[in-house]
């Protein structure tokens, strides 16, 4: 290993990385509808107390290069937040993996007189397929296990548009509200999904009224978007944010807290904290 006086050594005695970026794609992941992953291979190098370097590990990591915007929408007519609800394949697969590792529950012998518990499984109703009637025995969780509540959001994939203009388009497509760009307030930007994407997401805040609603929203089915618009009453916002039974993104929780700290005092309204 080189000595500490070697010109190739870092000035400070700390760990550092020697990256080697490649654009080799996994053949299956490359066929993704929206984005494809790249592979970053790097050598993790550490230094000991004598400033001698040594290789810790050589690692290859799949990453998705994507930037995005999100919008916290507050309807001043009905005093509610506008969220979107959609199926996420990654969440569904995580639930499937989690269910696989759980030991099966042993069937308890019904007690005497417990006729309802001992009743045979119900026959499929008229119009219901046998597959649907046997869904409880399926190794897959229900599709609802992959559904999450999120802020209106979208990819930054139009280089000729500003972040505000992209956010405006997403609000119109997903939620059906026509919001002028001038009414979009930038909250902050941050890194999201650092283990996979490491991409920057910029969050905006928009106030709308019923007059701004020009369509039902729902996204673009041609782009694989099947979105349901959801309203969360203001007085239930923080209860919603902290209810772990409701699958949601961190953006929802953070934005509700931001609203409570920054907008509630201004409007003298309660978010039920």
């Amino acid at each position: 290993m080189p000595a500490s006086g070697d010109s190739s050594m870092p000035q400070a005695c700390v760990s550092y990385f020697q990256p080697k970026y490649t654009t080799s794609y996994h053949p299956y992941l490359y066929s993704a509808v929206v984005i494809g992953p790249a592979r970053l291979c790097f050598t993790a190098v550490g230094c000991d107390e004598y400033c001698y370097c040594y290789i810790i590990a050589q690692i290859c990591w799949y990453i998705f290069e994507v930037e995005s915007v999100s919008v916290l929408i507050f309807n001043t007519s009905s005093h509610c937040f506008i969220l979107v609800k959609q199926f996420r394949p990654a969440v569904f697969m995580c639930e499937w993996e989690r269910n696989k590792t759980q030991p099966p529950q042993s069937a308890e012998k019904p007690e005497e007189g417990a006729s309802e518990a001992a009743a045979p499984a119900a026959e499929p109703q008229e119009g219901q397929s046998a597959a649907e009637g046997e869904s409880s025995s399926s190794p897959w969780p229900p599709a609802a296990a992959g559904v999450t509540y999120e802020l209106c959001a979208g990819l930054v994939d139009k280089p000729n548009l500003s972040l505000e203009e992209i956010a405006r388009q997403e609000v119109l497509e997903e939620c059906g509200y026509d919001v002028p760009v001038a009414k979009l307030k930038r909250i902050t930007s941050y890194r999201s999904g650092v283990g996979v994407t490491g991409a920057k997401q910029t969050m905006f805040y928009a106030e709308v009224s019923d007059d701004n609603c020009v369509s039902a929203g729902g996204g673009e089915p041609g782009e694989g978007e099947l979105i349901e618009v959801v309203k969360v009453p203001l007085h239930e916002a923080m209860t919603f944010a902290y209810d772990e039974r409701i699958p949601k993104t961190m953006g929802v929780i953070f934005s509700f807290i931001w609203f409570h700290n920054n907008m509630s005092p201004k409007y003298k309204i309660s978010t039920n904290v």
Side-chain angles (χ1 to χ4, degrees), residues 148-209:
T148 60
Y149 293 85
E150 310 168 16
L151 296 179
C152 171
L155 302 178
V156 178
D157 54 2
K158 302 177 181 66
N160 58 321
L161 297 181
S162 66
L163 295 179
E164 288 80 4
E165 290 170 327
I166 293 175
R168 176 187 178 275
Q169 284 189 353
E170 294 298 333
V171 172
L172 182 60
E173 292 176 3
E174 294 188 359
C175 301
Y177 290 90
D178 190 0
V179 182
V181 170
K183 288 196 173 182
L184 285 166
K185 174 184 174 66
R186 183 183 180 121
I187 297 177
T188 189
S189 63
Y190 47 87
R191 297 288 175 178
S192 63
V194 293
V196 180
T197 67
K200 178 186 289 186
Q201 182 171 87
T202 303
M203 182 181 291
F204 295 92
Y205 170 69
E207 290 186 354
V208 300
S209 67

Side-chain angles (χ1 to χ4, degrees), residues 48-69:
D48 59 20
E49 63 270 24
Y50 301 106
C51 282
Y52 280 89
C53 288
Y54 54 93
I55 295 176
I56 300 175
Q58 293 180 328
I59 305 168
C60 285
W61 199 278
Y62 282 101
I63 59 174
F64 291 81
E65 304 168 286
V66 59
E67 187 175 347
S68 61
V69 295

Side-chain angles (χ1 to χ4, degrees), residues 41 49 69 95 115-116 124 131 177 219 237 265 267:
C41 295
E49 63 270 24
V69 295
E95 285 298 307
S115 57
E116 292 183 2
Y177 290 90
Y267 292 109

